[in-house]
Amino acid sequence: MKRVLSGIQPSGSLTLGNYIGAIQNFVKLQHTHQCYFMVVDLHAITVPQEPKALREQTESVAALFVAAGIDPEKANVFLQSHVPAHAELGWIMTTLTHMGELERMTQFKDKSSGKESVGAGLFVYPSLMAADILLYNADLVPVGDDQKQHLELTRDLAQRFNQRFGEYFTIPEPYIPEVGARIMSLDDASNKMSKSNPNPGSYIALLDPPDVIRKKISRATTDSGREIKYDVKAKPEVSNLLSIYSQCAKLSIANIEAKYEGQGYGQFKKDLAEHVIATLEPIQQRYREIRSSGKIIDILDKGAQRASEAADETLRNVKERMGFLLRG
Ligand code: AMP
Ligand code: TRP
């Protein structure tokens, strides 16, 4: 069976962008692949985190994975910090990475621009991500569009290792959805929807109550026209809302355009809010059940155990190939 790995940072409340761009595909792939889905807490600390908030967010993201439909019996759900091999292979990958490669990463450029002081962890973050993926010899990595460049680096590092130390790593492929790989901010369609945006009106959190969702969508920026048409260049805001509509209502964009022909934005936005609510309500219900049951700790424990078995074997093989003297 082919292997899948992906991760999400516990650095804030997950958004509809995370769901449409990534988690939705995690749920789909678990039926056909051997899956590893983790909460990447070691990545989250590349920017300062408040300890109490980090702990709460980590448990919350893990519970959301399960609430969104990931079955912990089918897929391994675990925390990155519970499998020490991530940090260890992360270091090894850092030593194979060139400074220039990291300097070219657009996420690093975005996150560090204008900052007086930038943590070294933020710089080497893509090497750790490569280790995450290669530890499980993943064939496929479901991510949103913004992770494409990190995945290309992962492929380069895997090839570099294979050339230097003999064929070992699988070269992973990105799995990026055609619609919804880049859900944009509700207040500015030139930025991606992000949980780290200081304006909560710019994103829909997976745990937003229905009234908040209605309000955020009714206030979402549109243009001064009336036409509901998908045209990313001319109508970026409306196109973004159409992508969200299409993903939540499971209708094609052409279908939605036809449905609203000759109508203004008002009804379209009202209906869109109801489709988003209908998508999120069952997830929120399951989330509350999982959090109050306390089961998540046990799920993470089992997930980490199974993940460690695979990861430790890879790490041992890597070290052997590189010339580390192994323990007897
Ligand atoms: P992060 O929240 O940065 O840890 O991202 C977790 C996953 O969600 C990654 O695969 C991202 O590519 C994806 N993702 C995050 N924001 C968006 C967005 N606005 N649209 C689509 N995918 C997204
Ligand atoms: N860098 C990813 C993000 O910010 C999160 C991540 C860490 C990841 N390790 C990964 C995604 C491995 C896919 C595979 O969204």
Side-chain angles (χ1 to χ4, degrees), residues 173-195:
E173 299 277 347
Y175 184 91
I176 297 176
E178 260 169 49
V179 179
R182 202 171 168 75
I183 299 296
M184 308 313 281
S185 197
L186 297 180
D187 63 343
D188 174 2
S190 60
N191 286 326
K192 73 160 192 169
M193 182 182 282
S194 162
K195 56 198 173 199

Side-chain angles (χ1 to χ4, degrees), residues 39-279:
V39 184
V40 290
D41 45 7
L42 297 175
H43 275 95
I45 60 163
T46 56
V47 296
Q49 301 289 337
E50 206 272 306
K52 223 169 128 190
L54 178 64
R55 202 169 295 128
E56 160 58 26
Q57 283 302 331
T58 302
E59 189 172 341
S60 173
V61 173
L64 272 171
F65 277 7
V66 179
I70 296 171
D71 176 356
E73 298 294 323
K74 280 205 171 105
N76 298 297
V77 177
F78 63 103
L79 306 186
Q80 190 181 28
S81 65
H82 284 182
V83 181
H86 285 269
E88 208 173 337
L89 188 64
W91 170 251
I92 292 175
M93 284 299 140
T94 302
T95 67
L96 293 177
T97 313
H98 304 151
M99 297 281 285
E101 289 173 316
L102 296 173
E103 278 159 3
R104 280 196 290 278
M105 294 291 128
T106 56
Q107 185 169 309
F108 174 72
K109 287 198 249 183
D110 290 347
K111 286 197 179 180
S112 61
S113 91
K115 298 255 162 66
E116 223 172 75
S117 144
V118 177
L122 198 61
F123 188 61
V124 297
Y125 167 125
S127 306
L128 178 59
M129 176 162 163
D132 296 341
I133 297 167
L134 300 177
L135 263 183
Y136 303 91
N137 270 303
D139 299 279
L140 269 191
V141 183
V143 281
D145 200 48
D146 60 331
Q147 297 301 315
K148 222 170 162 175
Q149 199 187 21
H150 290 160
L151 216 55
E152 273 156 23
L153 176 67
T154 303
R155 290 165 57 88
D156 289 345
L157 291 176
Q159 267 150 357
R160 191 168 303 155
F161 180 94
N162 288 353
Q163 261 165 18
R164 294 247 295 261
F165 305 109
E167 284 298 313
Y168 180 66
F169 284 130
T170 305
I171 312 298
E173 299 277 347
Y175 184 91
I176 297 176
E178 260 169 49
V179 179
R182 202 171 168 75
I183 299 296
M184 308 313 281
S185 197
L186 297 180
D187 63 343
D188 174 2
S190 60
N191 286 326
K192 73 160 192 169
M193 182 182 282
S194 162
K195 56 198 173 199
S196 52
N197 190 314
N199 170 18
S202 71
Y203 59 79
I204 292 171
L206 295 188
L207 297 173
D208 274 347
D211 276 351
V212 172
I213 296 175
R214 288 192 189 99
K215 203 179 289 166
K216 285 181 177 176
I217 292 182
S218 80
R219 290 184 185 160
T221 311
T222 45
D223 49 50
S224 56
R226 281 180 53 84
E227 212 189 349
I228 294 166
K229 191 168 172 291
Y230 191 87
D231 181 339
V232 177
K233 279 227 171 80
K235 295 171 81 71
E237 298 89 0
V238 171
S239 302
N240 186 43
L241 296 180
L242 271 167
S243 298
I244 298 175
Y245 197 129
S246 158
Q247 290 296 305
C248 290
K250 306 286 173 225
L251 287 172
S252 72
I253 296 214
N255 218 313
I256 306 165
E257 285 172 342
K259 184 173 153 94
Y260 292 96
E261 205 181 328
Q263 299 186 43
Y265 298 148
Q267 190 60 43
F268 169 70
K269 278 181 156 186
K270 276 205 181 96
D271 295 348
L272 168 60
E274 296 314 311
H275 284 297
V276 172
I277 291 166
T279 304

